[in-house]
Amino acid sequence: MKLLLKISFLLISITLYAQNGGIYEINSGRKGVKLFDSGNFRGKWSEIISLNLNNDGLSDLMLINHNKTKLKMLSVKDKITKVNSDIEMNFLWNFVNAVDLNGDKISEIVFMDSSCVNGRVCSYSTSENKYICDTLKSLSAIENPSHVIALRTDKSDSEKLLMYSSKSGIAAVYMVDQGNNLVKITDEFNLQKGFDQLIATNTNGDKISELMLLNKKKQFYKLVTFKENNVNTILDSVKVSIKWDNVINGNFGSGRSQGDFIFNSKSSGKQHIFKLDFNGLLVPFKYPTCNLGAKWDMIVPGKFSYNYTDGILLYKN
């Protein structure tokens, strides 16, 4: 009886461990070699973000528990190592972004509350092996922001922040200056109401982002770009024939820089993969469905090896 209980416990443990996922290469849109197992990701994390703690060309990871305002930083190279002890943030936030504010290919972390008036800017100190945070001073956030994302709107090396309100359709672009002031650098402009996911991508290899805005309920997307901080519409309303819960963007092997997209359905556990063509239209890969397996809570893209394509982290709570 004791032996049976031990075997049952072992099988349950193995099953739970396997379900937690890991980090994999992606080759031509298909799941490839497993790079790292899931042991470092155990815990109830509400968000995982890939970022750059240094400029070694590989992505690192930030694991976030929003309810406990707790962070965990992992460095990814030959192995995954914990950067420091879990970080307790004395601050409730709604938005968190990894942003290259200085153009040095190293990520700062910008936290904001629901109004985007209160926030923190955190920079990684290699000498102290931790993030050091200062107050973000915000003067002119848009009303009712629903999304804040990092992107490039000009040919400088530094990233900016775009705020968008799904309720009003209004958006504006901001920069964080040397004094940690959040400064609006564009007039407010209308991107249309109702989008529930925004993705800043790059298909041309230049520095300026394209912005994909997705409406999963009505199954369409809009594509815009920027020219010296002015927004230009590429495509206004393009229907997508499949249903999805979230979309993952990266370089998954099409040859179009960051112009590949995995449309993930949590309910079915299926993923469809597309690339953007030169007109901004989604074109299926040769193998249009990914073989990622389970119904993952999070699929996080990142440069986890020196392969020319991105890899993905598969995570299940």
Side-chain angles (χ1 to χ4, degrees), residues 96-145:
V96 55
N97 281 277
V99 193
D100 182 1
L101 296 176
N102 300 314
D104 56 5
K105 297 183 180 179
I106 297 175
S107 302
E108 285 74 40
I109 314 298
V110 178
F111 299 89
M112 296 183 187
D113 67 3
S114 59
S115 66
C116 291
V117 172
N118 300 303
R120 302 283 188 277
V121 180
C122 301
S123 301
Y124 185 68
S125 170
T126 51
S127 60
E128 298 186 47
N129 198 33
K130 67 178 182 179
Y131 269 90
I132 298 173
C133 299
D134 293 312
T135 301
L136 175 69
K137 297 176 275 292
S138 175
L139 303 175
S140 55
I142 66 169
E143 190 174 352
N144 299 314

Side-chain angles (χ1 to χ4, degrees), residues 13-65:
S13 299
I14 291 170
T15 302
L16 289 173
Y17 185 83
Q19 284 180 341
N20 242 15
I23 293 179
Y24 295 82
E25 287 184 349
I26 295 290
N27 297 309
S28 300
R30 310 287 284 173
K31 186 170 74 173
V33 175
K34 189 173 188 177
L35 300 172
F36 303 102
D37 65 33
S38 59
N40 291 283
F41 315 127
R42 288 180 178 176
K44 292 290 184 180
W45 304 107
S46 47
E47 189 173 359
I48 301 175
I49 294 176
S50 63
L51 72 165
N52 297 307
L53 296 177
N54 50 49
N55 54 8
D56 64 1
L58 294 177
S59 298
D60 303 295
L61 293 166
M62 177 169 65
L63 288 68
I64 306 166
N65 185 318

Side-chain angles (χ1 to χ4, degrees), residues 125-170:
S125 170
T126 51
S127 60
E128 298 186 47
N129 198 33
K130 67 178 182 179
Y131 269 90
I132 298 173
C133 299
D134 293 312
T135 301
L136 175 69
K137 297 176 275 292
S138 175
L139 303 175
S140 55
I142 66 169
E143 190 174 352
N144 299 314
S146 57
H147 297 76
V148 181
I149 66 165
L151 78 175
R152 285 186 167 87
T153 60
D154 56 36
K155 293 185 177 180
S156 67
D157 292 324
S158 60
E159 290 183 314
K160 310 298 190 296
L161 289 165
L162 179 135
M163 285 187 205
Y164 165 75
S165 169
S166 183
K167 184 177 180 179
S168 67
I170 297 299

